[in-house]
Amino acid sequence: MKLQKRHIFIVGAVLAVLLALAAGLLFWGRRPFRDLKAADIASASVTLRPPDVTLELNGAEIEALAELLGDLRITWPDQSYTEYAGQAVQFTVTFADGTETEVTDYNPFLIIDGTAYAPCEALNRFANELLRERGG
């Protein structure tokens, strides 16, 4: 009898830990670019719509972008962004290994390679600061 109670307790404890981990991912999210360094990025550009302007990023700007992307946290997908109107800020990042990723901030959504997640106003602010600095 004691053995069964012990097994039930162990199974319950394992389930509690698994549920806590799942809740952590759901509410605190994950960081898909956590280990990204500027050296990992071969080139990057940003397109702002409106005003339909594309800017190529330089070394310092790529460093800032790598830091912003490294801080991104995503939770669960939400594809309702198609129901909103606003400014889209699309970063196209080409990595040193030749792969390419598109990260779009379409407030209040963050879209990574076509899948929308929670908002990230920092990317939108960064892109608009670049546009202002370059006289756009």
Side-chain angles (χ1 to χ4, degrees):
M1 192 68 142
K2 281 188 176 184
L3 188 60
Q4 288 179 341
K5 286 182 181 179
R6 186 179 299 166
H7 284 123
I8 290 172
F9 175 76
I10 291 171
V11 168
V14 168
L15 286 175
V17 168
L18 290 175
L19 285 174
L21 289 173
L25 285 177
L26 182 65
F27 294 108
W28 292 288
R30 60 185 178 85
R31 294 172 50 198
F33 303 106
R34 169 180 286 179
D35 298 321
L36 183 66
K37 307 276 187 275
D40 299 329
I41 300 175
S43 65
S45 65
V46 60
T47 301
L48 296 91
R49 291 188 198 98
D52 294 327
V53 173
T54 299
L55 306 170
E56 296 295 323
L57 277 63
N58 64 33
E61 295 163 346
I62 288 175
E63 286 183 27
L65 177 62
E67 187 175 325
L68 286 171
L69 291 176
D71 288 340
L72 286 181
R73 288 188 185 276
I74 60 173
T75 53
W76 57 88
D78 180 350
Q79 299 301 318
S80 66
Y81 71 91
T82 58
E83 301 168 14
Y84 286 79
Q87 182 185 44
V89 175
Q90 181 179 30
F91 290 90
T92 303
V93 180
T94 303
F95 296 101
D97 66 3
T99 60
E100 189 173 276
T101 294
E102 288 183 351
V103 178
T104 304
D105 184 31
Y106 187 59
N107 206 2
F109 297 95
L110 175 69
I111 306 160
I112 301 174
D113 291 331
T115 301
Y117 299 95
C120 177
E121 191 173 318
L123 287 173
N124 193 289
R125 187 174 31 252
F126 174 65
N128 279 290
E129 286 172 7
L130 290 175
L131 183 63
R132 273 191 296 281
E133 288 172 4
R134 296 188 187 185

